[in-house]
Amino acid sequence: MILPIRSRAAFLVFALFFGLTAGVAADEARPRIGLVLGGGGARGAAHIGVLEVLDQLRVPVDCVAGTSMGALVAGAWAAGMSPAAMREQLGRADWGDMFVDNPEYAEMSYRNKLVSRRYLPGSESGVSKNGVAYQAGVVSGQKIKLFFNQLVRANQGERDIEDLPLPLSIIATDIGTGERVVFRDGPLTTAMRASMSVPGLLAPVDHHGRKLVDGGLVDNLPINEVRERCKADVVIAVNVGSPLLKADEVGSLLTVSAQMVGILTEQNVNRSRALLKSGDIYIQPGLDGISAGDFSLYAEAATRGHAATEAVAGQLARLSASEKAYAAWWKGIEVTKRASPRIDEIEIVGLDRVASSALERHLSVHRGPNWSVLRAVLFLIGEACCDVCATGCYYERRRLMGNKFCSPSRSQHPLRLLPGDVREASGAGLRPVSL
């Protein structure tokens, strides 16, 4: 039967309207999706490849949880960084230098050069009023924390987890009690740093009276966390953990320690995997030949993660959203630029053993409405602090932190450079700029 022109036009309008409303309804009725990014050191770069495929297939996520390296990728993604930008940033990172706290050898004083040649990193000890004191880890992690700040743009004002557009959970371990600690709020970079604190290698993070280390010890694949966090109907779990060493490979203090951590991690991963349901998607990239410390192979790890996710594209396709719905979802998360806050005054206060002039002479920043916090923080940590250490004035042991006063009741906004960890301020409006 041939319809009249007017009837055909009405039919086309009805079909178009019905198709659009059906597509919207399908997006609204989609299952809630939780993404889990497990820990695995350098092997965790495979998560970037996973995110690339999820983006290609237009799979939106309702919440994400990460442990260790998975926390780094999850945190950066939830903070608005695209997988492509993550690849680029990891490519720029000097991982060898990042795990060395000392400044460049050429910048050290003669005395510090002698010390660096004579002693192993992290072997320094001393005497305090409480007796002999040892370093908490081979690396204190200052440069790693700086890298996190750059990654999530926290050097322009700390990013709080609860303010991120994508619900995020980061897992750490209380080394004092063995308890699992979940960050659902608070400073993002602090949570990322705590979750990556490999015991013995990186110093623990002091947070609210607790010493926090790598979350892989208690929950390396936090599947249950996303079920609780966003009531996920479907869980996409990515396991990049290192396999256990063979018996004949365990023969030194380091390998025994690594195997002990590996056993604890493997046990909790097996418990988490038992929580997977029939509709969930489990991804385990083939990462043979890439160890937890092979950060130079980040691109290869990301490529293998991409391939492993493409292998389950058929299962992921059912979770795909329409182009319009996915674009709207990502637009709400992506951050391409953050404005630097105004700063009118720079103060250095609270130093006990080092004169403020020792830092002031290394600063080359300017005040004013266009003054960049990013430039100040990078220069302060990358140059000023290292220069002070290099000249031998390293007896001020506490870390330098920055506080930005941004109370609406005041017209001036000083940047206060303080030693020690950022604590809750007594004055209203005191806000940390993480260093």
Side-chain angles (χ1 to χ4, degrees):
M1 181 180 66
I2 301 176
L3 296 175
I5 295 178
R6 182 176 297 179
S7 298
R8 279 185 288 174
F11 177 78
L12 289 174
V13 170
F14 172 77
L16 178 62
F17 175 78
F18 179 79
L20 290 175
T21 54
V24 172
D27 286 328
E28 291 177 348
R30 71 174 182 83
R32 298 187 64 80
I33 303 169
L35 178 63
V36 178
L37 303 181
R43 295 161 63 95
H47 294 314
I48 298 174
V50 174
L51 296 180
E52 288 172 344
V53 178
L54 293 182
D55 181 63
Q56 292 170 8
L57 296 177
R58 303 193 305 275
V59 177
V61 168
D62 296 284
C63 66
V64 58
T67 300
S68 195
M69 189 66 174
L72 184 152
V73 176
W77 193 51
M81 176 169 278
S82 68
M86 269 187 257
R87 266 197 191 251
E88 183 180 354
Q89 288 294 327
L90 288 182
R92 291 178 180 176
D94 186 346
W95 292 98
D97 179 68
M98 204 178 299
F99 287 95
V100 178
D101 287 326
N102 291 335
E104 293 291 335
Y105 186 79
E107 298 173 357
M108 291 184 183
S109 66
Y110 178 71
R111 178 183 182 277
N112 283 351
K113 287 179 179 178
L114 292 178
V115 171
S116 68
R117 289 200 300 261
R118 184 172 300 176
Y119 302 105
L120 291 172
S123 62
E124 183 181 358
S125 61
V127 179
S128 68
K129 62 181 180 180
N130 297 320
V132 179
Y134 301 94
Q135 288 188 224
V138 175
V139 181
S140 68
Q142 294 175 359
K143 293 180 182 178
I144 295 173
K145 181 64 161 57
L146 175 60
F147 174 66
F148 291 169
N149 293 345
Q150 293 174 268
L151 203 62
V152 302
R153 298 182 177 89
N155 41 24
Q156 293 172 284
E158 182 61 271
R159 310 290 300 276
D160 289 327
I161 295 174
E162 66 270 25
D163 295 333
L164 299 177
L166 181 63
L168 169 69
S169 298
I170 289 178
I171 313 299
T173 304
D174 186 331
I175 196 64
T177 65
E179 293 178 343
R180 173 177 174 267
V181 178
V182 181
F183 284 90
R184 292 186 177 184
D185 54 26
L188 172 59
T189 56
T190 298
M192 293 164 65
R193 169 67 177 80
S195 188
M196 287 192 67
S197 299
V198 179
L201 175 60
L202 289 175
V205 170
D206 292 320
H207 184 71
H208 294 169
R210 291 176 142 182
K211 289 186 180 296
L212 304 181
V213 297
D214 198 310
L217 297 176
V218 291
D219 196 358
N220 202 48
L221 197 66
I223 292 171
N224 195 53
E225 174 59 22
V226 294
R227 293 209 192 278
E228 294 180 357
R229 185 69 195 273
C230 64
K231 310 301 179 186
D233 302 306
V234 177
V235 173
I236 302 172
V238 187
N239 182 12
V240 294
S242 300
L244 294 176
L245 298 173
K246 298 178 181 179
D248 58 358
E249 296 175 328
V250 181
S252 68
L253 176 61
L254 291 177
T255 54
V256 169
S257 299
Q259 187 77 334
M260 290 173 59
V261 172
I263 290 172
L264 291 173
T265 301
E266 190 69 17
Q267 288 176 344
N268 70 63
V269 166
N270 289 336
R271 288 194 295 269
S272 292
R273 288 185 60 185
L275 301 175
L276 291 172
K277 300 178 181 178
S278 59
D280 296 332
I281 300 172
Y282 178 72
I283 302 172
Q284 186 170 15
L287 298 170
D288 295 342
I290 302 177
S291 72
D294 287 332
F295 287 96
S296 61
L297 299 178
Y298 81 94
E300 176 64 21
T303 299
R304 296 192 194 182
H306 192 285
T309 311
E310 283 187 330
V312 295
Q315 300 177 57
L316 292 168
R318 62 186 172 87
L319 305 176
S320 180
S322 66
E323 290 187 15
K324 182 178 180 180
Y326 184 80
W329 171 82
W330 179 242
K331 184 178 180 180
I333 296 172
E334 186 178 23
V335 176
T336 56
K337 185 178 181 181
R338 294 189 74 200
S340 296
R342 170 173 174 159
I343 295 176
D344 298 291
E345 184 180 353
I346 303 171
E347 301 173 356
I348 300 175
V349 298
L351 295 174
D352 295 334
R353 299 179 179 85
V354 177
S356 60
S357 58
L359 284 179
E360 288 174 351
R361 65 192 177 93
H362 293 290
L363 295 177
S364 64
V365 294
H366 306 284
R367 304 168 180 83
N370 297 321
W371 189 80
S372 170
V373 178
L374 173 62
R375 180 171 173 237
V377 171
L378 287 177
F379 191 86
L380 175 66
I381 294 300
E383 300 292 339
C385 288
C386 288
D387 285 349
V388 170
C389 292
T391 56
C393 301
Y394 55 87
Y395 297 104
E396 189 68 54
R397 297 175 61 99
R398 293 173 293 176
R399 291 185 301 142
L400 290 172
M401 305 300 293
N403 282 352
K404 174 173 70 71
F405 191 90
C406 54
S407 172
S409 62
R410 293 186 54 175
S411 59
Q412 296 295 305
H413 306 284
L415 177 72
R416 309 190 70 210
L417 305 179
L418 307 173
D421 293 328
V422 174
R423 294 178 174 84
E424 294 182 3
S426 57
L430 194 61
R431 186 74 170 158
V433 173
S434 178
L435 305 186

